[in-house]
Amino acid sequence: MTDILFNFFFFSCLILIQSFFLNSFGFYDILLPWIFYYYSVSEDKVRVFLLCALAGYLKDSLSGGVFGVYISTYLWFFLVLRLSSFFLNLNNRVFITFFGVLGVFINGFFLFVSNYKWFFNPVFLNEVLNLFFIELLCCFFSFFLFFSFFVKIRDFMILIQSLIKSKFAQLSRI
Amino acid sequence: MFSRKKFIKFVVLVFLLVNISALIAAGRGGGKIQGFGSFGLDFFGPVQEALSSGIGYLEKIWQSYFNLVYVSDENLKLKSDLKEFYSKETAYKEVFFENERLRSLLKFSKKIKPEYIAAEVVGRDTAKWFNTIIINRGKDSGVFVNSPVIVPEGVVGQVIKVSKNYSKVLLITDRMSGVDCLIQSSRGRGVVSGTGNDLCIFKYILRKFDVNSGDHVITSGMDKIFPKGLRVGKVVNVKRKDSGIFQDVDIMPFVDFEKLEEVLIIITPPNEKKDD
């Protein structure tokens, strides 16, 4: 239960950070690394699936786009991770970068599908493609260059989570 | 008949096709599916409100410190502006009363004054793909889908989703936005559409209308959403091609969407807005 609450709080904070500070820079969706992190640390994949769906729902309700884009993105990203984890090492720098970029591609795919009218206007198309490439570049560099930083953050998160768990256990004993 | 692998591939493909079809269908309807996202708005709304008021407070402290330097210069400029506006106001009042008298002579129906409520901007879109804001007024305050949102400088956008206490507003700079407008001087009519960045484009304006840089663009009232005569923006660029019946006009909105903090929502339902 603490695991669910912790991750719920964590991704809610990420959504708020994105809506307050990162939306004007065209930064990629920072919930994709969260899904990656949660997938790699959690053993109960059904729980990950459900939390991804909830994160997508909340993100969709705040976004101005078509409802369902983020739910689709996160669930398909989860599915790709699930299928790939059988034969790929998810702790490798190259593969992690590849999955980050793949997540941005999945997000872009669903955005373009739901807003297919953008393709009929050359001005819009040019702008959205530029925006998409900026997201891809941000994602690639942040995943590839800050891999060790991400690993440290992940270890730190695991530590915090275990601390919260132990505190809850102590409280329940009392 | 099917191996397990083939069956999984088949199921995944079916799900993908269903997913894509659902998104295309939702996109065709303008993405305005009501009810689904209202819980999320109510959930994040209070947190966003608390955060934005905290950030706003810190910004105000910072700005008020720096503004002190410019206050005396600004005061002189405002005083001179005020003198000019006093004389303009007198002229406008004369025209207003003359207009009222002529309308009553011609037995035009009386214009209903729209009702406004003020709201604070508590959040913005989570991605740069869309230009929306979240405001702290919802159904309980009388806000409905398509309510026009304005500020004294001009039109901000329209409400696209309403929850109990919060609403999502589509800005006029969004690619999905369209507002029926007029060029104030030449009365040429068209649709102002967003481009996703600071500028908007004025579409479907015929070549026969004389449009120049600096011309003001106002709402026409023909879309039955925005009342007639609201300020939208200023023409910054006009391109007349050799062929075609329309001209390309770029517009700079009067509203600075980056600095938007408070807005006004018109809560008079469309069926109560009487036209001349």
Side-chain angles (χ1 to χ4, degrees):
Chain A
M1 191 64 189
T2 50
D3 166 63
I4 293 174
L5 285 175
F6 175 80
N7 277 287
F8 180 74
F9 177 74
F10 187 30
F11 80 66
S12 300
C13 287
L14 290 179
I15 291 175
L16 289 172
I17 288 170
Q18 187 128 27
S19 75
F20 271 97
F21 305 109
L22 296 176
N23 69 341
S24 49
F25 298 115
F27 206 73
Y28 71 97
D29 189 352
I30 54 173
L31 257 71
L32 294 171
W34 166 75
I35 295 172
F36 204 93
Y37 147 77
Y38 192 35
Y39 184 87
S40 58
V41 298
S42 176
E43 283 171 11
D44 188 353
K45 302 303 178 202
V46 178
R47 202 182 281 177
V48 182
F49 178 85
L50 292 176
L51 230 57
C52 284
L54 183 63
Y57 169 79
L58 289 174
K59 190 108 193 239
D60 268 326
S61 52
L62 288 186
S63 158
V66 172
F67 194 90
V69 168
Y70 287 101
I71 295 178
S72 309
T73 303
Y74 298 158
L75 293 185
W76 281 102
F77 187 58
F78 167 84
L79 196 74
V80 168
L81 283 180
R82 182 84 186 131
L83 294 174
S84 315
S85 62
F86 294 123
F87 49 91
L88 288 177
N89 175 16
L90 294 182
N91 287 317
N92 181 298
R93 181 193 290 253
V94 177
F95 286 138
I96 284 188
T97 310
F98 168 74
F99 281 115
V101 171
L102 189 70
V104 176
F105 263 107
I106 294 172
N107 190 14
F109 172 73
F110 286 116
L111 270 169
F112 289 140
V113 161
S114 57
N115 295 287
Y116 63 93
K117 285 170 194 166
W118 289 346
F119 286 98
F120 302 124
N121 188 324
V123 181
F124 288 2
L125 187 62
N126 194 22
E127 277 189 19
V128 291
L129 285 179
N130 281 342
L131 204 57
F132 181 64
F133 283 118
I134 290 170
E135 282 199 3
L136 274 181
L137 280 178
C138 285
C139 180
F140 177 80
F141 283 112
S142 66
F143 268 75
F144 196 75
L145 297 177
F146 302 110
F147 173 73
S148 47
F149 179 66
F150 280 137
V151 172
K152 273 182 191 162
I153 287 181
R154 189 176 67 178
D155 295 343
F156 179 66
M157 286 299 174
I158 294 167
L159 185 75
I160 290 176
Q161 219 172 312
S162 60
L163 275 174
I164 292 171
K165 250 184 197 172
S166 61
K167 285 280 171 205
F168 263 93
Q170 274 178 6
L171 280 173
S172 60
R173 252 180 264 145
I174 292 165
Chain B
M1 198 167 74
F2 283 117
S3 69
R4 193 165 175 266
K5 255 187 182 176
K6 271 188 182 173
F7 179 72
I8 290 172
K9 274 183 190 169
F10 176 74
V11 170
V12 167
L13 195 70
V14 168
F15 268 113
L16 185 64
L17 287 176
V18 170
N19 197 171
I20 291 170
S21 314
L23 284 177
I24 290 174
R28 280 172 78 94
K32 293 171 188 171
I33 303 172
Q34 282 306 306
F36 279 124
S38 52
F39 168 74
L41 275 180
D42 277 331
F43 176 77
F44 273 116
V47 188
Q48 283 187 318
E49 198 171 354
L51 259 175
S52 70
S53 63
I55 293 169
Y57 181 72
L58 289 174
E59 271 179 358
K60 265 177 196 164
I61 292 173
W62 185 255
Q63 278 171 359
S64 59
Y65 172 73
F66 279 100
N67 282 349
L68 279 175
V69 183
Y70 305 107
V71 161
S72 94
D73 286 346
E74 198 181 6
N75 194 27
L76 285 174
K77 192 188 167 293
L78 288 174
K79 273 181 181 169
S80 72
D81 283 353
L82 195 63
K83 278 177 196 165
E84 191 189 326
F85 286 127
Y86 275 140
S87 62
K88 270 189 181 173
E89 195 202 0
T90 317
Y92 285 142
K93 269 186 182 166
E94 278 304 305
V95 175
F96 176 78
F97 289 125
E98 188 185 342
N99 183 275
E100 290 282 296
R101 283 196 302 275
L102 291 172
R103 285 178 78 90
S104 65
L105 274 175
L106 291 167
K107 290 178 181 163
F108 274 11
S109 62
K110 276 204 168 180
K111 274 186 179 175
I112 291 175
K113 281 187 181 171
E115 276 181 58
Y116 301 97
I117 51 163
E120 278 177 46
V121 178
V122 296
R124 286 173 189 276
D125 207 296
T126 50
K128 207 173 160 36
W129 297 98
F130 308 102
N131 295 2
T132 58
I133 53 170
I134 293 161
I135 52 173
N136 63 350
R137 294 285 191 160
K139 269 180 206 160
D140 283 1
S141 308
V143 181
F144 53 92
V145 174
N146 289 341
S147 293
V149 180
I150 58 169
V151 285
E153 289 85 13
V155 173
V156 172
Q158 67 186 87
V159 173
I160 53 165
K161 195 172 274 176
V162 193
S163 74
K164 200 166 174 280
N165 296 310
Y166 296 90
S167 307
K168 199 190 289 175
V169 179
L170 185 76
L171 303 181
I172 56 165
T173 50
D174 190 274
R175 294 179 192 92
M176 302 286 281
S177 164
V179 184
D180 203 296
C181 288
L182 290 171
I183 298 284
Q184 198 169 24
S185 52
S186 64
R187 314 307 283 176
R189 206 182 130 203
V191 176
V192 169
S193 180
T195 58
N197 56 35
D198 297 342
L199 286 181
C200 292
I201 42 174
F202 198 7
K203 294 194 285 194
Y204 314 124
I205 177 149
L206 295 170
R207 279 164 59 88
K208 67 177 182 179
F209 291 109
D210 185 29
V211 185
N212 299 304
S213 291
D215 282 354
H216 284 202
V217 177
I218 56 167
T219 52
S220 70
M222 300 294 274
D223 51 18
K224 303 283 175 195
I225 293 173
F226 293 95
K228 191 176 179 178
L230 297 175
R231 284 152 51 92
V232 176
K234 199 165 70 172
V235 175
V236 286
N237 190 24
V238 186
K239 267 185 230 156
R240 275 203 187 90
K241 288 177 202 159
D242 294 333
S243 58
I245 54 169
F246 302 118
Q247 46 190 324
D248 296 334
V249 180
D250 291 334
I251 288 166
M252 176 61 80
F254 286 125
V255 180
D256 186 350
F257 294 99
E258 290 297 317
K259 291 178 182 169
L260 215 54
E261 285 177 29
E262 291 93 20
V263 292
L264 293 169
I265 313 158
I266 300 176
I267 53 164
T268 320
N271 53 4
E272 284 181 27
K273 287 175 200 160
K274 284 183 185 173
D275 292 316
D276 292 349

